[in-house]
Amino acid sequence: MKWSSISFRKRMLIIMTLSGLIELLLLVAAGFMYVKHEQEQEIGQKALGVASFLAKSPYVIDMIQSGATPEYQQRYRSLTELIGAAFIVIGNKDGVRLVHPVDERIGRPMKGGDNDRALLEGEAYISIAKGSLGYSVRGKSAVFDSNGDIIGVVSVGYLIDRLEDRIEPFLVYLTLMALLVVAANAIVSSYASRRFQRAILGFEPEEIGRLYVELDVTLETLKEGILSIDGEGRLRSINRSACQILGLNKNECLNQPLNQILPESDLNVVLKTARTDTDINLYLNQKRLIANRSPIIVDGKVVGAVSSFRLKDDLTELTEQLAKTKEYADMLRSQTHEHRNKLNTISGMVQMGELDAVQQLIGQETAHYQTLIEFLRETIKEPLIAGMLLGKTERARELGLKLVVEEGSRLEPLSDRINAEDVVTILGNLIDNAFDATQEAIANDNNFSPTRRAIQVSISDFGNEVILEVEDQGCGLPKDMSVSSLVKRGVSSKDNKTRGVGLYLVSELALRYQGELEMANNQENGARMTVYLPKEDLA
């Protein structure tokens, strides 16, 4: 079975249990060796004390000088049992046994090879050696006569086997405790691994590694810029597209506070509000962006935020094409509807033989369109805005309204600072709102005057500002809603489910250009909307 095929919990359990077992076995072995050594030292000191005491005894000195008798043998054997030793052996200066627990070994040389320090140098010491009875811890001491000459040696020993018998209960105790600790460690390991795997959403380590690689590759291949921050506002991740869009160096930015890298960013607000924003307009590092922002919530707590964004210019290309297509469609639909009515009228007049009237009608229509196109061409030098006004004029005629561009209007080609697409968005939304307000007033007033069907549009670029003004004679601004509330996203005096975006976009674009949106009701009927866009950046 492959290691990777075992679940993370089982791997954690095996690793922690084995590591704990190995550590405990080492501790048990170390403890056993320490106790054994201490026991040997303790017994050795005891044996050395008895040997030193006997070596100074006048009875031992006399026995070595005069020879051992059975009475002496019995006395020292009794003493051996009394102190719990394995043996007491007394030898002469040649190392021949005079006293020994076994009668057959009396008179033979002492074994172990550890008598030289006593017999030659006259020392008292502890040694471990193998004698005739087996391995033992021995206390040896030289015996001196009254002249100070070495006449023999006393050896008191305790067998190692008996010492180990005394240590075995302690070893069993240590082993049982080790097993108990291993069992406890296994329980703790199981609990810890379960909690840890729950924290990583139940994934296996290999799955997390694979997901990380997949996520990293996915983020790097997206054209949208994506960045995320943690709960303290530090930049935690940013993909290649985001670096290219904002002109940042990934290695220099990671783990740095976002408000230092991008002072204009207010992504930190999401950490406090936990609000999701979609399709908002941002201006970062002198780039106009369309962004989405969402909080990262874990266990009900906001732990970070993520933002995805693209250059607005990239979206503007598609938006512009769609807007142009929509304007052309509206214009063609209006013209088709209007021309069908005209053709029906011409057909009827031809059948009635009113040819002069037919020629006059055709001339009027031709003159109307030609005059309108020439007027827009001369006054509005931005083709996109002129096309939008032409389309809105036809749309007004289809709705039974009249769109009038004031005679004094003028718009020269815009500077690089102001995009024509943004002006189209501002002016188009204001005109659409004027259409809606006028239609609502017509629906609510049976005596609605035909002169109130006109919507006045004024465009001026004299001085340091581009001024866009739209005035209608419809129902006017709602009196129960403040001006500041009308420019909020999703707020509308009409159907909030489908409206509430137009004035919000107008206000956002005006603020972006450091301009201003003014809204006011006329003294009699309708409302007047005015947008001021500075041609140059304000200091």
Side-chain angles (χ1 to χ4, degrees):
M1 180 182 295
K2 293 184 178 180
W3 178 252
S4 59
S5 63
I6 303 175
S7 68
F8 174 74
R9 287 183 58 189
K10 291 182 179 179
R11 275 184 276 179
M12 284 286 291
L13 182 62
I14 292 172
I15 291 173
M16 294 184 70
T17 301
L18 287 179
S19 63
L21 181 60
I22 292 172
E23 292 171 359
L24 287 170
L25 288 176
L26 291 175
L27 289 174
V28 168
F32 175 75
M33 296 301 295
Y34 175 78
V35 171
K36 180 180 178 183
H37 176 74
E38 289 297 315
Q39 286 288 325
E40 289 176 352
Q41 290 295 317
E42 180 182 349
I43 294 300
Q45 291 294 334
K46 181 178 180 181
L48 179 61
V50 175
S52 298
F53 174 78
L54 293 177
K56 296 177 181 179
S57 172
Y59 296 103
V60 173
I61 297 172
D62 181 65
M63 183 197 68
I64 294 175
Q65 291 177 338
S66 60
T69 63
E71 181 182 355
Y72 281 110
Q73 297 289 347
Q74 186 60 40
R75 179 183 301 173
Y76 290 114
R77 288 174 185 176
S78 300
L79 180 61
T80 300
E81 293 180 0
L82 182 64
I83 64 175
F87 58 84
I88 295 178
V89 177
I90 301 175
N92 59 20
K93 63 180 180 179
D94 297 323
V96 176
R97 301 183 183 110
L98 300 177
V99 174
H100 193 277
V102 181
D103 293 336
E104 291 79 7
R105 297 174 184 174
I106 297 174
R108 295 181 180 181
M110 299 173 68
K111 290 187 177 182
D114 56 347
N115 290 328
D116 291 344
R117 292 174 59 188
L119 296 176
L120 298 179
E121 300 177 10
E123 295 181 3
Y125 54 92
I126 299 172
S127 70
I128 298 177
K130 181 179 181 181
S132 60
L133 297 178
Y135 279 102
S136 58
V137 178
R138 308 172 177 189
K140 289 182 177 289
S141 180
V143 180
F144 298 91
D145 60 10
S146 58
N147 298 322
D149 297 326
I150 300 173
I151 61 173
V153 60
V154 177
S155 178
V156 178
Y158 291 85
L159 292 177
I160 297 294
D161 291 342
R162 294 182 183 178
L163 186 63
E164 290 178 351
D165 291 340
R166 297 176 59 184
I167 300 176
E168 282 180 359
F170 177 73
L171 179 62
V172 173
Y173 173 77
L174 285 179
T175 303
L176 291 177
M177 291 302 298
L179 293 176
L180 180 62
V181 171
V182 168
N185 186 53
I187 296 174
V188 174
S189 301
S190 177
Y191 174 77
S193 61
R194 184 167 58 251
R195 289 291 301 271
F196 186 78
Q197 192 164 27
R198 186 184 305 159
I200 59 176
L201 306 179
F203 288 109
E204 299 293 332
E206 292 78 12
E207 292 177 329
I208 294 177
R210 185 174 64 254
L211 286 174
Y212 177 81
V213 174
E214 292 175 356
L215 178 61
D216 187 59
V217 173
T218 301
L219 290 178
E220 292 300 322
T221 55
L222 287 175
K223 290 189 67 177
E224 277 194 313
I226 298 177
L227 59 83
S228 64
I229 60 175
D230 59 17
E232 298 180 358
R234 292 190 299 266
L235 184 66
R236 301 298 299 174
S237 65
I238 182 170
N239 68 346
R240 184 187 299 114
S241 296
C243 292
Q244 292 174 351
I245 292 172
L246 299 175
L248 301 175
N249 187 309
K250 184 175 183 178
N251 295 329
E252 295 177 357
C253 296
L254 287 178
N255 299 317
Q256 298 297 321
L258 184 64
N259 56 11
Q260 294 182 9
I261 302 169
L262 298 171
E264 305 94 340
S265 174
D266 59 348
L267 187 58
N268 288 337
V269 175
V270 179
L271 300 176
K272 299 177 181 178
T273 62
R275 184 183 65 193
T276 299
D277 297 323
T278 58
D279 297 332
I280 61 174
N281 293 279
L282 298 177
Y283 191 75
L284 298 177
N285 274 9
Q286 300 180 348
K287 300 292 179 62
R288 297 186 309 147
L289 309 173
I290 299 294
N292 298 316
R293 308 187 302 191
S294 298
I296 302 174
I297 300 176
V298 177
D299 295 332
K301 181 181 179 181
V302 178
V303 297
V306 62
S307 176
S308 62
F309 51 87
R310 290 190 68 175
L311 284 170
K312 188 174 182 181
D313 293 341
D314 294 342
L315 300 177
T316 300
E317 294 181 8
L318 297 175
T319 305
E320 180 182 347
Q321 295 177 7
L322 181 60
K324 288 181 179 179
T325 302
K326 186 176 182 298
E327 292 293 339
Y328 293 151
D330 289 342
M331 183 175 63
L332 290 174
R333 184 173 64 252
S334 300
Q335 290 180 346
T336 300
H337 180 73
E338 187 68 20
H339 290 167
R340 184 182 296 113
N341 292 335
K342 300 297 183 183
L343 288 175
N344 290 334
T345 302
I346 293 172
S347 176
M349 294 174 69
V350 169
Q351 292 177 14
M352 294 173 62
E354 299 290 341
L355 299 181
D356 293 337
V358 170
Q359 291 179 351
Q360 183 181 1
L361 178 60
I362 293 174
Q364 290 176 352
E365 288 300 314
T366 303
H368 168 73
Y369 284 107
Q370 190 63 33
T371 301
L372 178 60
I373 292 173
E374 289 297 329
F375 173 72
L376 292 176
R377 183 182 298 171
E378 292 177 1
T379 58
I380 309 299
K381 299 300 177 62
E382 285 288 346
L384 187 61
I385 300 173
M388 183 273 295
L389 290 174
L390 181 60
K392 294 296 183 184
T393 301
E394 295 302 321
R395 178 60 178 164
R397 294 182 63 184
E398 181 183 358
L399 297 174
L401 307 175
K402 183 179 181 181
L403 183 66
V404 179
V405 180
E406 291 187 358
E407 291 291 336
S409 296
R410 188 194 80 163
L411 182 63
E412 296 295 324
L414 296 169
S415 63
D416 294 337
R417 180 178 183 273
I418 302 177
N419 288 336
E421 294 87 351
D422 291 337
V423 178
V424 168
T425 299
I426 293 172
L427 204 52
N429 277 289
L430 294 180
I431 293 173
D432 287 339
N433 285 345
F435 286 169
D436 292 340
T438 304
Q439 286 184 299
E440 184 177 350
I442 293 173
N444 295 331
D445 188 356
N446 295 328
N447 298 322
F448 193 84
S449 173
T451 59
R452 292 174 58 188
R453 293 176 179 267
I455 289 89
Q456 301 287 335
V457 176
S458 173
I459 303 176
S460 171
D461 63 354
F462 296 101
N464 297 324
E465 295 178 319
V466 174
I467 302 175
L468 311 173
E469 186 173 89
V470 177
E471 183 176 358
D472 65 74
Q473 300 182 57
C475 59
L477 298 174
K479 297 180 180 180
D480 58 342
M481 298 181 69
S482 64
V483 173
S484 59
S485 64
L486 284 173
V487 297
K488 291 183 179 179
R489 187 181 183 92
V491 176
S492 174
S493 60
K494 309 176 190 67
D495 181 8
N496 286 332
K497 294 181 180 179
T498 58
R499 300 181 183 271
V501 178
L503 286 179
Y504 167 79
L505 291 176
V506 172
S507 177
E508 286 291 309
L509 289 172
L511 291 175
R512 183 186 304 165
Y513 286 108
Q514 298 176 298
E516 183 180 0
L517 167 63
E518 289 185 356
M519 297 184 292
N521 283 321
N522 294 326
Q523 292 183 355
E524 295 182 0
N525 299 296
R528 182 176 63 258
M529 305 284 188
T530 308
V531 175
Y532 301 90
L533 302 178
K535 294 180 180 179
E536 303 295 337
D537 286 325
L538 300 179

